[in-house]
Amino acid sequence: MPACPRPLAALICLVSGALMAAGSAAAQPSWVDPPAKTAGEPAAKPREPAPSFSAEPKPDRRGAERAPVSARTTRNADRIAADAAARAAARRAAQAEERRIEERRAALAEERRAARRAERLSARPPRRAPEPVAEPDGRMEDWAVASQDLTRAYFATFSEPNGVVLGATPRFYGDRVVFHGRAMSLSALLAEKRRFLARWPERRYRARPDSIRTACNAGIATCQVESTVDFVAANPGRGVRSEGTVAVRMALSFAGGRPVIVSESSRVLSRDRMASHD
């Protein structure tokens, strides 16, 4: 206890000392021994710990927020993939259409080229059959002479009256004749001649002697005869008259032993048509 001055100070010091002693005694714990255990007395059950109530866990807002974001991201990814697939399909379809268009253009171009080739070929003049080539054969000279004789006789006969011409025509021609590019039978040829004779009942034909040219081919037993013929034809009933010059081309066959005309064509070189004065 501290020393206190006297007299009043002693009292104050006494009171403060008591207070300090009381406070010290209160601050120290008082230990009491537990009572002794008696026989047969059950041991005290241990006290169960009081439940500890911890604060409720706060919800994980980040997880809750991430779940909708993840679903939205998945939907966006699906939509992007679908759009990409659609664009790829459209691109493939466009490429396929372009290929079809190119193939069609190529086919049309080939068709046009084929058409132009066909036009060029059709515009070309037809090839003439090769001229029979005279071969060294002992019969060629005889055939050439016989062909020229038949040609002169033919034009002389054709200058006769109609009845004589129609009666003599069968002996000049074969059974089949190509007359001015048309194949026909002998009877059809006689009908053609009959119409011509009715149109021009008066005729005079004369082959120029120096114009007759002959080429024979022993392989096919045929001679080609070309001649230039002056003619005069008239029809008094109609009062018309025609005269001029024609180039005549005939093919004579010797296959049957005697010469017969199997082809005949002519081309007018000059012609004057006038009213008849007869």
Side-chain angles (χ1 to χ4, degrees), residues 165-191:
V165 174
L166 292 174
T169 295
R171 69 181 179 87
F172 286 106
Y173 290 92
D175 294 334
R176 299 290 301 177
V177 182
V178 177
F179 187 69
H180 290 272
R182 295 179 299 155
M184 59 181 62
S185 63
L186 178 59
S187 60
L189 176 67
L190 289 174

Side-chain angles (χ1 to χ4, degrees), residues 22-90:
S24 175
Q28 292 181 356
S30 60
W31 300 97
V32 180
D33 290 335
K37 294 181 181 182
T38 58
E41 185 178 344
K45 294 182 179 180
R47 296 178 65 184
E48 294 181 359
S52 59
F53 296 96
S54 60
E56 293 183 1
K58 295 181 178 181
D60 189 355
R61 294 183 178 181
R62 291 177 297 177
E65 292 175 355
R66 280 198 299 269
V69 172
S70 177
R72 187 164 57 250
T73 303
T74 302
R75 288 194 296 273
N76 291 340
D78 292 343
R79 185 169 60 253
I80 292 172
D83 292 343
R87 287 194 297 271

Side-chain angles (χ1 to χ4, degrees), residues 4 14 19 48 73 121 150-151 168 177 190 214 245 247-248 251:
C4 299
L14 180 63
L19 291 175
E48 294 181 359
T73 303
L121 290 175
L150 184 143
T151 299
V177 182
L190 289 174
T214 307
T245 303
V248 181

Side-chain angles (χ1 to χ4, degrees), residues 201-250:
E202 296 181 2
R203 300 162 307 280
R204 185 170 67 252
Y205 288 84
R206 177 179 176 275
R208 297 178 182 178
D210 58 347
S211 69
I212 300 177
R213 295 183 302 275
T214 307
C216 299
N217 189 319
I220 57 176
T222 302
C223 290
Q224 297 282 350
V225 182
E226 294 182 353
S227 58
T228 302
V229 180
D230 297 318
F231 72 92
V232 176
N235 188 328
R238 294 191 294 123
V240 292
R241 175 188 175 92
S242 178
E243 61 180 76
T245 303
V246 294
V248 181
R249 183 185 180 92
M250 294 189 297

